[in-house]
Amino acid sequence: METAVRIGQGGGRFAELYAAHGRDAVRLGYLLTGNAADAEDLAQEAFVRLLGKFADLRKPESFRTYLMRTVTNLARGRARRRDVERRHAGTLAANAGGIVEPPDLGPRYELAAALDRLPYRQRAALVLRYCEDLSEQQTAEVLDTSVKAVKGLVARGLASLRGQEVRR
Amino acid sequence: MNDVERRLRDLGEAARTELRTPLEPRRESLRRIRRRRLLAATSAVACVALVAAGGAFAWSRSETVRPPLPPADVRRALDPSACGFPLDFEPTYVPSGFDGEARRGPESSSWVVARFHGGTGSAIDVTTPPHGFSQSDVAEIEVLDGPATIGAIHEGYSVAFDRARCHYVLNGYGIPRRELRLFAQGLRELTPLPFAGMWPEDSRGPAYDACKTRPLDRRWPLPVARDFVRKVLHWTSYELDTSHKGNPRRVDVNGPNAPYEDRVPDVQLLLKEVLPDCWSVTRVTAAGDHGTTDATVSVRGRTVEIGFDANGAASATVQAGYGGRVETATWEGGEPVVRLELPFDPETTGHFLVLLHNPNGFPFAAIGGTLPPGDFSAG
């Protein structure tokens, strides 16, 4: 059953959408940036941008795709700024890949660190395909690209991760 | 499923079960959404006013004939990008707790072009809203030698005024009406206006010299776009989509098929009349199969750092220049961040340009834009 979500009814609807999708947005942001605080900021920012655009949402499933795309794009900008800031400071992150809250993911930290070292689009493609369990088509919609490009990104990303594991 | 894929799925599952996340949106997010709805709610009134004002008028370059100025909303629609950051005015008075520095507005809002920060809960936003809005308890004042109005709004006070082709609204949050009035009345013009071109020239003097004879190939955006595609991208077969109108002018370029992952490269150019009868490229962004992309630029002293989306490029030519002097470096893989050390101080406006190449050396995309003088950071 389709449900029209009217933002005009006030912050209540926003809170409902956030309760339904907020955790997904934060999780995706964390997997893309490796930082829980950044992930919360990105999720809030994504909601504000989307709810400012859509006065009516007749397809709740479309909202999730737009939300994931917005979080992905925001995370890319955040990752780029972090890289430039890091180089300007003349220091490398204390932990590999710049992840600052590894205890959230416990022993899986090494894989998360390896993900963080990948070029952003490869990282995003792997996170969406495997961590978020999206199909190739869904991943292409979030990344605003073609299925073929997604396949290429995933293949290169997996090859890089395997290569990093061999070098360890 | 191999080991890496399985571990990635485990990572996702761990993030679902172990990551601690809040279940409620922040109050600041709710406030920002309410503000957006307030601005959007007055759009119907603004549209009616626009139609009533009439849709036909003509601009004249003659000093002796001055047509009546169209309503502010129409002027705003003519040249929206000229009303952005950096501002061409500055405050001579700021409320207590404010440092007086204009910072670029947040990415989340396309019409908060600058923000002055005060203490907790206080700020002054310089906005260029696309639609009208309502003030209450309105009084007339003078700002930047022109008429303005000050009034109350839902969450504070605002001052509205027109300047050149721009319609500005200063929104004051957490400060008394009197303080916002003094701030607005104390604004002064910054001269000269920043030069907005990237190519063929990136500073005012050379552009003036090139255009003072009003050459034909600079009077309109299309020849400039064509020259950029030929001389910078070195494309010999291409299509230009000039269906977009206005100043600045967007030109979409469909380039030749590149023998690289079957991707059809294309770029978007933004051109502007930077001087009378003198068009320049102000920005170029890559588009295509991998979506639009952009770059992050940081300038500290003579050090320029440019980060960009490689989008599968095998190599890239990265360039930064000021006033005709250019430094170039080549990126050939790894982290797509390049550092350039300038042998001069960036004292004029400048530009940056990144050309992405496929394994055959073919430039399939470009990212570039303008730089202000001195230190800078954006992206």
Side-chain angles (χ1 to χ4, degrees):
Chain A
M1 178 167 67
E2 291 181 349
T3 303
V5 180
R6 290 202 60 84
I7 310 305
Q9 293 185 10
R13 287 298 184 187
F14 174 32
E16 285 179 19
L17 278 173
Y18 193 87
H21 299 288
R23 188 171 297 212
D24 293 344
V26 174
R27 182 183 66 247
L28 177 61
Y30 179 81
L31 290 166
L32 291 172
T33 65
N35 184 292
D38 281 353
E40 287 184 26
D41 288 346
L42 292 180
Q44 295 284 332
E45 189 60 42
F47 271 91
V48 170
R49 289 193 186 203
L50 285 176
L51 292 176
K53 275 186 177 180
F54 298 110
D56 284 283
L57 247 88
R58 294 206 167 273
K59 292 186 179 180
E61 57 270 24
S62 298
F63 179 84
R64 187 165 185 269
T65 298
Y66 281 116
L67 177 65
M68 296 181 86
R69 183 185 298 173
T70 304
V71 170
T72 303
N73 288 337
L74 289 172
R76 179 177 63 183
R78 186 71 62 102
R80 221 171 31 225
R81 280 193 294 275
R82 182 195 63 195
D83 290 341
V84 174
E85 287 168 3
R86 186 192 307 164
R87 281 177 174 262
H88 254 303
T91 59
L92 294 175
N95 31 354
I99 296 179
V100 296
E101 295 190 11
D104 280 346
L105 294 180
R108 300 168 193 84
Y109 161 70
E110 285 188 358
L111 179 61
L115 261 181
D116 198 59
R117 285 191 288 271
L118 294 178
Y120 182 76
R121 285 184 71 83
Q122 289 180 18
R123 184 192 327 159
L126 290 178
V127 165
L128 292 168
R129 279 287 288 129
Y130 296 105
C131 301
E132 292 295 316
D133 205 22
L134 299 187
S135 67
E136 288 176 340
Q137 178 63 42
Q138 290 170 324
T139 302
E141 287 174 11
V142 171
L143 293 179
D144 195 19
T145 187
S146 64
V147 171
K148 186 166 186 176
V150 167
K151 288 181 179 179
L153 288 168
V154 168
R156 289 196 295 275
L158 289 175
S160 295
L161 287 181
R162 290 187 198 110
Q164 289 188 45
E165 296 211 316
V166 167
R167 282 192 291 274
R168 269 190 309 139
Chain B
M1 184 186 305
N2 61 42
D3 182 56
V4 173
E5 293 173 12
R6 180 183 53 73
R7 290 171 61 203
L8 283 169
R9 292 196 192 280
D10 285 347
L11 184 66
E13 189 57 36
R16 279 185 193 86
T17 56
E18 297 174 12
L19 197 62
R20 295 174 290 279
T21 58
L23 293 178
E24 292 180 354
R26 295 175 186 162
R27 287 184 185 175
E28 174 55 28
S29 302
L30 292 170
R31 279 197 289 269
R32 288 169 61 192
I33 290 173
R34 277 200 292 273
R35 268 184 240 153
R36 290 188 174 206
R37 292 206 326 268
L38 178 67
L39 288 170
T42 59
S43 63
V45 174
C47 285
V48 170
L50 188 62
V51 170
F57 61 87
W59 289 104
S60 169
R61 296 183 188 281
S62 167
E63 289 295 317
T64 62
V65 178
R66 293 186 181 279
L69 289 176
D73 285 342
V74 177
R75 299 211 300 275
R76 174 70 179 79
L78 285 176
D79 192 8
S81 76
C83 313
F85 189 87
L87 303 173
D88 64 353
F89 50 84
E90 64 178 356
T92 59
Y93 172 86
V94 292
S96 175
F98 282 65
D99 61 19
E101 181 183 345
R103 292 174 176 80
R104 186 186 295 270
E107 289 181 11
S108 58
S109 172
S110 62
W111 60 73
V112 179
V113 298
R115 174 168 289 167
F116 293 86
H117 287 274
T120 302
S122 62
I124 297 175
D125 283 351
V126 180
T127 73
T128 54
H131 306 292
F133 68 104
S134 59
Q135 293 171 305
S136 61
D137 191 19
V138 177
E140 291 183 356
I141 60 174
E142 189 170 286
V143 174
L144 289 164
D145 297 325
T149 57
I150 183 169
I153 58 174
H154 182 253
E155 292 178 333
Y157 299 96
S158 71
V159 171
F161 62 96
D162 295 328
R163 172 175 166 72
R165 298 191 193 185
C166 308
H167 177 64
Y168 290 104
V169 176
L170 310 178
N171 291 329
Y173 305 107
I175 59 173
R177 177 178 174 129
R178 176 179 180 276
E179 292 296 303
L180 181 63
R181 175 174 61 79
L182 291 174
F183 175 90
Q185 290 177 321
L187 293 175
R188 68 180 174 194
E189 188 177 308
L190 279 174
T191 56
L193 294 176
F195 183 73
M198 181 196 109
W199 185 91
E201 305 87 17
D202 62 14
S203 55
R204 185 182 302 275
Y208 178 79
D209 289 340
C211 290
K212 59 187 175 184
T213 59
R214 299 176 72 225
L216 285 173
D217 60 358
R218 295 295 296 272
R219 285 198 220 168
W220 297 277
L222 185 58
V224 179
R226 189 186 301 128
D227 277 351
F228 182 89
V229 171
R230 290 174 180 168
K231 294 178 181 177
V232 179
L233 300 181
H234 302 292
W235 292 355
T236 54
S237 70
Y238 51 87
E239 292 177 348
L240 301 182
D241 177 0
T242 59
S243 55
H244 306 280
K245 301 301 177 189
N247 177 17
R249 181 76 56 88
R250 177 181 136 194
V251 175
D252 294 344
V253 186
N254 293 317
N257 283 319
Y260 186 56
E261 295 183 3
D262 295 328
R263 178 174 54 236
V264 177
D266 57 79
V267 298
Q268 288 181 346
L269 302 179
L270 203 64
L271 298 105
K272 192 170 182 178
E273 191 178 12
V274 294
L275 295 171
D277 281 336
C278 184
W279 285 77
S280 293
V281 176
T282 65
R283 194 173 76 216
V284 56
T285 54
D289 284 357
H290 282 213
T292 57
T293 186
D294 212 330
T296 303
V297 183
S298 174
V299 181
R300 300 272 197 279
R302 295 186 176 188
T303 301
V304 179
E305 285 212 353
I306 302 173
F308 54 93
D309 291 325
N311 277 2
S315 64
T317 303
V318 182
Q319 174 185 102
Y322 292 83
R325 292 182 287 183
V326 176
E327 279 297 300
T328 304
T330 300
W331 171 83
E332 293 178 326
E335 198 75 45
V337 180
V338 171
R339 173 180 287 192
L340 299 165
E341 296 294 340
L342 304 174
F344 52 85
D345 293 320
E347 295 175 336
T348 68
T349 52
H351 77 281
F352 74 94
L353 179 65
V354 179
L355 292 179
L356 303 179
H357 303 275
N358 69 8
N360 297 326
F362 176 79
F364 66 86
I367 317 157
T370 57
L371 294 172
D375 289 355
F376 174 74
S377 178

